[in-house]
Amino acid sequence: MSQTAPLRTDVLVVGAGPAGSAAAAWAARSGLDTLLVDAAVFPRDKTCGDGLTPRAIGELQRLGLEDWLRARTVNQGLRAHGFGQTLLLPWPGGSLPDWGSAVARTELDDHLRTTAIKAGARALDGARAVDVRRAGDRVAAVVLRTADGDVEVACERLVVADGVRSPLGKRLGREWHRDTVYAVAGRAYVDSAMSDDPWISSHLELRDEQHEILSGYGWVFPLGNGSVNLGAGTLATAKRPAEVAIKPLMQIYADTIAEDFKLSGELRAPTSALLPMGGAVTNVAGPNWALIGDAAACVNPLNGEGIDYGLESGRLVVETMVEHHDLSVVWPQLLRDHYGEAFSIARRLAGVVTVPGVLKALGPAGMRSDWLMTLALRWMGNLVTDEDRDRAARVWRWAGRRSLARDARPPFS
């Protein structure tokens, strides 16, 4: 790995999370000279639930990482709790893998970055992208701020994968719209005798200190190392903003489930983040640059999952760059074609959940039906692909098309 910034590169990837590292790996495998930069020094932590759904597993398999994953932890599906019920919901399989996993982001991101390096990408950490130099409407170079001063790296193509806040995306005109649903979420680590539990758990009846039901959920994701990732998140919109302190909420949640999940000790490394979701951003591409992953709000509005979309968009953006000279129209359209229907209906449904009283009214009925919750798991997890032709997949796509047609601002526009 080189710690000296080169003067130029074919593809410059800013941000070495799952999206950026996947893009760098695929670009290097395509024979493109690739530089992967990140503001942090690796290994580094990242606020995340650490869960890897079957959709993410499929992308990691493409990268050749299945054996590495199976040596960590494997889960069979979701254990859903709430309103006096507990349901075991296996991953549905079909066109996607029938198993999931969970790996702490400190380890996952470092390994994905190493995968990109082994594929031939150069990597530079401790280098923050602070500005761009344009040549007309194209990005000619990116200014990196390092410990040794600013350096300019010229690039033919720029991939922006710098996370939910996307400071470089903002420099390029990216705007986040909060009229559709977004999330406020936090996570911590805690010791647990159920660290090897073959199920991830989700509590759909999340309550605050006053015992009021919140429009969100809590989770426990076993990591197989003596601890679990414990977290909580709430949904919000500009009309109904989240008015909850996430870190105290996580402690309330941990205290509530401590006996059932054999938790011990204090919550470690608690962090929280604000999540744009469902493609609720404008200006995701220019002639030779594109936003991917969290920077493009590629986050599932119903479950907060973003790793899978990060990995997918990292692969897709390289395929698109290889085939098209100008990304300004083709990349937003590809994102809409690939995610628009699912994101549109998901953020519409998630927005309904933010209405006071809805979850309290509908939650008990849903939890009484294994069939309905199995269907909800597949839809909420976006575990439907273009290859799926069953009735549930057809209904989901039909609902997505109807929802998209009604959007005042469709995803990624």
Side-chain angles (χ1 to χ4, degrees):
M1 180 187 75
S2 171
Q3 280 294 319
T4 301
L7 296 179
R8 72 162 308 279
T9 185
D10 292 337
V11 179
L12 175 59
V13 182
V14 175
S21 289
W26 290 116
R29 290 179 184 184
S30 298
L32 299 168
D33 182 50
T34 304
L35 176 64
L36 174 63
V37 304
D38 197 280
V41 175
F42 280 68
R44 59 97 175 96
D45 192 15
K46 191 76 172 180
T47 303
C48 185
D50 298 338
L52 299 170
T53 65
R55 197 176 186 109
I57 298 296
E59 288 298 317
L60 292 166
Q61 287 174 330
R62 289 174 182 263
L63 287 167
L65 300 181
E66 179 171 352
D67 290 344
W68 179 81
L69 274 178
R70 287 190 178 274
R72 273 132 193 91
T73 183
V74 170
N75 57 62
Q76 303 173 17
L78 173 70
R79 182 193 291 112
H81 306 261
F83 306 99
Q85 304 288 328
T86 296
L87 302 176
L88 292 180
L89 308 171
W91 296 121
S95 58
L96 293 170
D98 61 357
W99 59 284
S101 184
V103 181
R105 287 289 296 272
T106 303
E107 182 180 5
L108 176 68
D109 289 15
D110 193 53
H111 191 74
L112 285 170
R113 182 172 175 270
T114 299
T115 299
I117 293 169
K118 289 180 177 178
R122 291 174 290 177
L124 177 68
D125 58 12
R128 184 180 301 276
V130 295
D131 206 353
V132 297
R133 177 170 60 80
R134 298 178 186 263
D137 58 356
R138 298 174 67 85
V139 171
V142 174
V143 178
L144 302 178
R145 183 153 296 161
T146 72
D148 299 322
D150 290 359
V151 61
E152 188 175 280
V153 179
C155 58
E156 294 298 318
R157 298 293 176 97
L158 169 64
V159 177
V160 181
D162 56 350
V164 293
R165 297 183 183 278
S166 192
L168 190 62
K170 290 179 182 177
R171 298 290 297 178
L172 293 165
R174 180 245 201 194
E175 184 179 358
W176 171 25
H177 305 285
R178 303 192 190 191
D179 49 343
T180 56
V181 70
Y182 63 92
V184 184
R187 71 96 175 105
Y189 297 104
V190 62
D191 294 338
S192 171
M194 294 180 64
S195 178
D196 293 315
D197 188 357
W199 300 87
I200 64 173
S201 289
S202 175
H203 290 80
L204 306 180
E205 189 181 355
L206 183 65
R207 295 180 180 269
D208 62 16
E209 193 172 8
Q210 287 73 42
H211 209 60
E212 294 294 326
I213 295 178
L214 301 174
S215 58
Y217 71 97
W219 68 80
V220 178
F221 294 166
L223 295 172
N225 61 0
S227 65
V228 297
N229 181 306
L230 178 148
T234 62
L235 298 171
T237 64
K239 290 183 179 179
R240 291 181 286 274
E243 297 179 352
V244 61
I246 288 294
K247 291 182 181 179
L249 177 62
M250 285 194 293
Q251 187 62 61
I252 294 169
Y253 174 53
D255 293 342
T256 302
I257 65 170
E259 184 176 352
D260 290 341
F261 285 82
K262 301 176 183 178
L263 307 181
S264 60
E266 297 182 353
L267 300 185
R268 303 189 304 274
T271 61
S272 60
L274 206 61
L275 292 177
M277 309 168 91
V281 292
T282 306
N283 296 324
V284 295
N288 69 328
W289 57 270
L291 273 59
I292 64 173
D294 288 355
C298 290
V299 178
N300 189 325
L302 288 173
N303 68 0
E305 166 70 3
I307 296 176
D308 50 0
Y309 303 111
L311 295 167
E312 280 184 1
S313 59
R315 172 175 56 85
L316 292 171
V317 77
V318 173
E319 294 174 358
T320 306
M321 288 191 308
V322 170
E323 295 178 5
H324 299 273
H325 177 70
D326 191 330
L327 302 175
S328 56
V329 175
V330 68
W331 181 242
Q333 188 59 54
L334 185 146
L335 289 176
R336 281 192 291 274
D337 290 345
H338 206 67
Y339 301 126
E341 292 176 1
F343 279 179
S344 176
I345 186 62
R347 69 189 191 185
R348 197 176 297 278
L349 293 173
V352 170
V353 174
T354 67
V355 177
V358 168
L359 188 59
K360 184 178 180 179
L362 299 182
M367 286 296 293
R368 284 195 292 269
S369 170
D370 285 31
W371 173 82
L372 187 59
M373 289 304 296
T374 297
L375 192 61
L377 171 66
R378 189 174 176 196
W379 287 351
M380 287 174 63
N382 197 11
L383 302 178
V384 176
T385 70
D386 293 338
E387 292 77 22
D388 294 331
R389 294 290 183 267
D390 58 281
R391 181 177 297 178
R394 294 198 304 271
V395 169
W396 184 240
R397 284 193 287 265
W398 173 84
R401 289 193 297 271
R402 294 290 297 271
S403 176
L404 194 60
R406 296 178 58 192
D407 279 342
R409 184 186 292 112
F412 312 107
S413 63

